[in-house]
Amino acid sequence: MSPGNPTDIAEDVFSQDDNIFANRQLLNIGHVPNPDRIVGRDDEIRKLAEQLRGAIDGHAPDNVIIYGKTGTGKSLVSKYVMTRAQETAESAVSIGTVYLDCSEDNTETQAVSSLARRLNQQDITGTAVPPTGLSTAKYYKHFWEIIDAQFDVAIIILDEVDLLANDDLLMKLSRAEEADKVDCHIGIIAISNKIQYAEDLNERVKSSLRHKELFFQPYDATQLRDILQNRTDAFQTDVLTDDVVPLCAAFAAQEHGDARKAIDILRHAGKIAYKQGAKMVTEAHVREAQQYAEKDRFRELIDGAPTQAKTILMALAELSLNAEAEAFPTRKVFEQYQLICKQIGMDELTERRFRDILKEQAFLGIVEIHKKNQGLAGGVNLENRLIEDPEIVKDILREDNRMNGWHD
DNA sequence: CCTCCACTGGAATGTGAGGCGT
DNA sequence: ACGCCTCACATTCCAGTGGAGG
């Protein structure tokens, strides 16, 4: 490529024919495929539908807690069954449906606020719900009024419930009917990837929730292959070499059967091929994409994180690279953190706060923490280890402007 | 089975921003 | 304009923890 004037370059890029992708949307993460494209989840769909059965006649549906690792189709199946229920309901029965991602609204107030606003149809209820500013109790009041005015049954999906700060929301939702707050029946589908979630629940919540449980097993390599095969029409005909799909499936199966990951890799492979102006997507593209997807996943995890959290991770990465050990006591990491703070001219947090942030990172799956007891003179301490390759972590953290002042 | 140590993590409290109702 | 609410983030204080080694 000869260095020409910028206008030509831009034109080149824009006018480049897309000879790889036909319909890229099919590979987007949030994309809900047609039912005939949902692979290997027939059992799960049937079981979930049985729980919601009551709803279509206007009775109370059962509450369900769904377990399964990421990318096993939990959200997909729930959304699908929920919409089907709404569509097939008796004409006299009006069903309201909401999907709430608790990782976004992770406090009780935010969650009710979102639920109320999403279900509210102003022309029927005549009220508007402000996004913030009200007390929690008022949001509940709004919410009860809204569902009562509009629906016979409300089905609520709470995705990633384990990220909710406490159980109060579940408690109040499941108690609403007995407490005569509402006439509308409420069905809750709670989705969690922590198996012990229900065990950790408050006894009172458990008894009023009276939930059924549903487990989603990871996809096996064959199912992953089918899933990908079902989406190959995102590409132009005959651009995928034969080993592309099986290889993507194999990479994802190695992890834990994560369909999202499989699709991610496939999409990236396509993008890479496109960028290179290749005619076909090959095995090499897939291998490159796999590495890229790894970085991407991590970048997504920490992108929105506050600078303090990033600095803490940087400290841990730095230690991992320079020392022979893999895991480090909190004190050590804190000292390294203080060092970095000084260099980039950032305020230092107290050690107590530092510990909390580090623990948050563990919850997010970025670091791993083990308790260690040195006995007589050592006392109790925690050992922190980066899960991701420290090189990758460092690379990505360096993308943050605040880290510019940092050099080793 | 008891002791001992240094770190852990719960609780109380403060600050500042965002936003509603009157 | 004012009072009142919640939430996010941070600090301060300190009782509790738990396994190696006696």
Side-chain angles (χ1 to χ4, degrees), chain A residues 32-270:
Chain A
V32 179
N34 296 328
D36 54 328
R37 286 175 186 249
I38 300 182
V39 172
R41 297 285 101 143
D42 298 352
D43 264 10
E44 286 82 357
I45 291 178
R46 197 178 54 246
K47 282 183 191 154
L48 185 57
E50 277 164 17
Q51 310 299 329
L52 298 187
R53 184 69 160 281
I56 61 172
D57 304 320
H59 300 130
D62 291 327
N63 296 322
V64 189
I65 297 184
I66 298 181
Y67 300 102
K69 298 203 167 151
T70 44
T72 50
K74 304 185 297 295
S75 315
L76 180 63
V77 167
S78 316
K79 280 183 189 167
Y80 168 69
V81 175
M82 177 173 81
T83 3
R84 289 295 296 150
Q86 190 175 31
E87 285 164 10
T88 47
E90 304 275 317
S91 51
V93 178
S94 130
I95 298 185
T97 60
V98 208
Y99 170 87
L100 184 75
D101 185 350
C102 301
S103 63
E104 278 166 36
D105 300 302
N106 51 10
T107 68
E108 192 188 357
T109 319
Q110 279 174 30
V112 210
S113 155
S114 285
L115 288 178
R117 267 180 304 125
R118 289 203 201 155
L119 281 175
N120 190 23
Q121 288 165 16
Q122 271 199 48
D123 42 326
I124 302 181
T125 58
T127 48
V129 183
T132 62
L134 298 189
S135 69
T136 315
K138 285 188 184 163
Y139 275 118
Y140 275 112
K141 214 174 234 168
H142 267 121
F143 183 60
W144 304 140
E145 280 169 17
I146 286 168
I147 58 175
D148 250 354
Q150 299 184 141
F151 310 114
D152 301 310
V153 184
I155 302 177
I156 302 171
I157 296 182
L158 300 173
D159 206 346
E160 316 219 36
V161 256
D162 39 309
L163 295 184
L164 273 182
N166 57 44
D167 310 336
D168 292 353
L169 177 69
L170 277 179
M171 175 81 169
K172 294 201 173 109
L173 285 179
S174 57
R175 285 251 172 132
E177 277 181 69
E178 323 171 13
D180 274 340
K181 291 257 174 33
V182 282
D183 294 323
C184 172
H185 300 298
I186 299 177
I188 303 167
I189 302 176
I191 304 178
S192 161
N193 40 33
K194 277 173 38 191
I195 303 292
Q196 348 80 304
Y197 179 71
E199 286 163 32
D200 297 345
L201 278 178
N202 191 318
E203 276 309 318
R204 283 161 66 220
V205 182
K206 263 194 258 180
S207 72
S208 59
L209 196 59
R210 283 187 298 266
H211 63 274
K212 301 273 170 20
E213 300 191 345
L214 212 56
F215 291 88
F216 278 45
Q217 297 305 321
Y219 292 111
D220 59 37
T222 326
Q223 288 171 327
L224 285 171
R225 213 172 303 160
D226 288 346
I227 290 171
L228 292 176
Q229 207 63 54
N230 261 337
R231 302 207 183 188
T232 47
D233 44 358
F235 294 90
Q236 302 283 2
T237 38
D238 294 336
V239 293
L240 296 179
T241 41
D242 289 345
D243 29 2
V244 166
V245 164
L247 192 60
C248 288
F251 275 136
Q254 264 171 29
E255 285 283 298
H256 58 251
D258 183 342
R260 187 176 308 170
K261 183 155 197 182
I263 294 173
D264 265 357
I265 297 176
L266 184 60
R267 190 182 64 242
H268 278 130

Side-chain angles (χ1 to χ4, degrees), chain A residues 286-349:
Chain A
V286 176
R287 291 190 188 281
E288 197 176 326
Q290 201 258 346
Q291 299 225 319
Y292 187 83
E294 196 63 35
K295 264 195 172 182
D296 219 33
R297 188 190 72 89
F298 187 70
R299 188 177 289 118
E300 231 166 67
L301 264 180
I302 61 161
D303 222 12
T307 316
Q308 289 288 4
K310 289 183 181 170
T311 312
I312 290 172
L313 289 174
M314 184 59 110
L316 191 51
E318 199 58 35
L319 280 176
S320 314
L321 286 175
N322 293 335
E324 57 304 328
E326 271 216 307
F328 307 89
T330 313
R331 176 44 67 63
K332 266 260 173 62
V333 187
F334 184 62
E335 280 162 11
Q336 180 73 30
Y337 157 79
Q338 287 178 310
L339 220 72
I340 298 179
C341 280
K342 282 207 186 72
Q343 275 209 38
I344 67 175
M346 192 175 64
D347 293 343
E348 285 171 26
L349 296 175

